[in-house]
Structure formats: C-alpha cells, structure tokens
Amino acid sequence: MGPSGKIGKQGIVGQIGLKGEAGQKGKKGESGTQGMQGPKGERGLQGMPGLKGERGTAGPKGAKGEMGTQGIQGPKGSQGITGQKGQKGVLGPKGSKGTKGERGLKGQGDILRGYGLYVTATSSCSGLLETRSRSSGIIFSNRNGEYSNGMNCSWALSSNTNIKLIFFRFQTEGTHDKVRVYNGISSSSSPLGEFDGSSLPSVITSSNNALYIRFTTDGSVTTTGFAASYHAANSIRLVNSDSSNKLSGRVELFYRGSWGTICNDGWDINDAQVVCRQLGFPLASRAIGSASFGQGSGEILLDDVDCNGGEAFIESCISRGFRQHNCGHSEDASVECSSTIP
C-alpha cells in the first residue's frame, strides 16, 4: 500500500442536523458541601394577630394553701356621720306586776336624793283630811254628797318651804257658806282670800311656809262643797291653758331655779300616779303623751321614767337621770288626775 496522502482542507460546515431525542435523566449528583452562613437578614414586618384560641378546659382544683401570717393592723378610720334618729318603736305590752319589795327605812330614799320637803297638816274636824305623801294631801268639806249645816272646821298647814293650795272642786251656798284662807298658822294671820259660790278660786301660795284654812256654814242650804290639794311649792306643777281644769296638764318639774318637762318614753299610769300624789290630787286616771297640753319651752329634765306607783316624788323613780334624754318637746308627758277623793 502506498503512503497516506496529505490531509485535505476542512470542508464546508454542514447544516445543523435535526434535534436528537432527549437523553435519559442522569443520576442525582452528590450533595455539595454546605456553604458558609450568609449575613443576618433584616427584621420582617409584624404579622397580623392570630385568631383567639378556644378556651381550654379548667384544670383540677389545687390544694388549699397554708394560712398566711396576720397582716399589720391598718390605721383607725375617721368617725362616720351620725345617723338620723330612728322612728319610735311601738309600745310593748305592759308587764306583769312584780312582787312587793321590802319596806325601806322611813324617808331614806328621798333624803338621799336631796328631797327633804314636807308639809304637816292637821284638821279640827275628823275625816276631812287625806294625806297623800309627807309633802302633799287633800282637804275637803265632805268626801262625797253634800256638806253639813253648822260646820266650823279649820286646817293648819306648815312646811319647810312655801305651800301651794289648789281648789279642784268648789260649790258652796253663796254669801253664807265661806272658805277663808290665811297666810300663816291661824285666823289672825294675813288673809289671802274669802270664797263662796260656784267660781273655782285661783291657786294660792303661802309666803311664810304656812297656811290656815277655815270653812263655816249656816243652818240652811247645803251643796257639794269643796276639795283642795296642797303640796310643797316650787317642786311640781301641771300646765294647762284651761284654768278651770286643775286636774290635767303637762307635767313640769322645778330644777335648779327653772321649770322643765318630762319625756313620754315609757310613760304609764304608774308614773302618773306618782305625779298626782306629789301634787296632792286624788288617784291618776290617765297617763298622756305627745305634748297633748302643748309643748314646754324649758329643758327636758327626765326621760325613760319607770315608777312602781308608790313613790312620793317623780324624781325618786328610775330614769336616765336629770337632763339625760333623747327627746323633743313634742314628746312632753302629761297626766289626768281623778276628782274622786280616795
């Protein structure tokens, strides 16, 4: 074979052939080595809040904790505003009468309380004097019915203070049967008044701790006569705008130079009995409250008075004490005393 010829010149590039069919997918290459961590990115925008989750089921009750130590006492609070006075309660039923107590020493109770007042009374005619206490009583021409013809009776009253005489019944034969009152111990003392007919005499007060009363009748007409109470002056009085009614009124006491009233809290017939006795009047017929005879203007001296009915002075009864009360004058106490001589 002969020698190879020289390489000829490159031929003209042929046209691109048709695209061949895709080859099969090659196998996954092996994982490359991890690259270096890039720099921290900027903080993203805040996302929208998520929807509220559903309420979870309650957990089991925990065990009771131990009692803590006592805290330090806080400072005392300021005093509250005084509340309004409550409405007066309904009067309860009257309690049963207690057993009679033992008799005390004569005069001891009143002396201990500073009430040593007394009025000594005598009558020249039997049965025409009724002692109500050691400082009060009743003089009268006749207990009931009519007085007698030809009477000549006298009463002598003496005291350690002035005496007040209050006629609560008066009817004599005009110009003939007379009651005469003297400012002293006998008919030779200064006259204070001469009374007959049907007009009720005004209240009479002695000025020298004694009164003398005389009643004389003729032999003809007789009537219902008179009755008058006596008691130590400047101690107690009834105030009533009706001057013809001496047996009823607002109760007032004389204390340290002035007159004052009694509150009607707990006021009952036992309290009224003591007032009527202290005034020298017959028994009490009613205990009255709610300022039925008008409101007083002085101090309210007693409240929650609780007498057993046998005391000589209203001041000797159980009470809150002088000038201790929670009342107004709309609750001033009053009494009504009977005209029937006991």
Side-chain angles (χ1 to χ4, degrees), residues 305-319:
V305 176
D306 185 13
C307 303
N308 61 34
E311 294 88 349
F313 299 95
I314 192 70
E315 302 93 328
S316 300
C317 300
I318 296 172
S319 72

Side-chain angles (χ1 to χ4, degrees), residues 173-286:
E173 183 188 6
T175 71
H176 296 287
D177 301 340
K178 295 180 180 293
V179 177
R180 298 175 175 87
V181 182
Y182 302 88
N183 189 31
I185 59 174
S186 70
S187 58
S188 61
S189 303
S190 301
L192 292 175
E194 181 178 288
F195 312 99
D196 61 79
S198 59
S199 296
L200 198 65
S202 299
V203 176
I204 297 173
T205 305
S206 72
S207 61
N208 59 0
N209 299 1
L211 286 175
Y212 186 82
I213 304 98
R214 185 181 180 191
F215 179 53
T216 57
T217 67
D218 63 8
S220 58
V221 178
T222 61
T223 65
T224 54
F226 78 89
S229 73
Y230 65 85
H231 69 273
N234 287 340
S235 59
I236 190 170
R237 69 183 182 185
L238 296 185
V239 178
N240 186 347
S241 59
D242 181 2
S243 60
S244 66
N245 181 4
K246 307 294 187 183
L247 295 168
S248 302
R250 180 178 67 250
V251 182
E252 293 196 354
L253 303 177
F254 195 71
Y255 181 71
R256 295 187 176 178
S258 61
W259 293 97
T261 63
I262 299 176
C263 180
N264 65 196
D265 288 346
W267 191 247
D268 63 17
I269 194 66
N270 286 337
D271 309 321
Q273 293 289 14
V274 177
V275 169
C276 292
R277 178 183 297 111
Q278 188 172 348
L279 286 161
F281 289 139
L283 300 177
S285 54
R286 280 200 303 159

Side-chain angles (χ1 to χ4, degrees), residues 19-20 32 59 75 90 132 210 247 279 300 312 316 329:
K19 185 177 181 180
V90 179
R132 296 289 283 129
L247 295 168
L279 286 161
I300 298 174
S316 300
H329 279 299

Side-chain angles (χ1 to χ4, degrees), residues 123-146:
S123 174
S124 65
C125 295
S126 176
L128 300 184
L129 171 66
E130 183 72 30
T131 300
R132 296 289 283 129
S133 74
R134 62 189 180 86
S135 65
S136 64
I138 309 171
I139 64 171
F140 45 91
S141 59
N142 51 297
R143 191 177 293 272
N144 46 49
E146 298 183 348

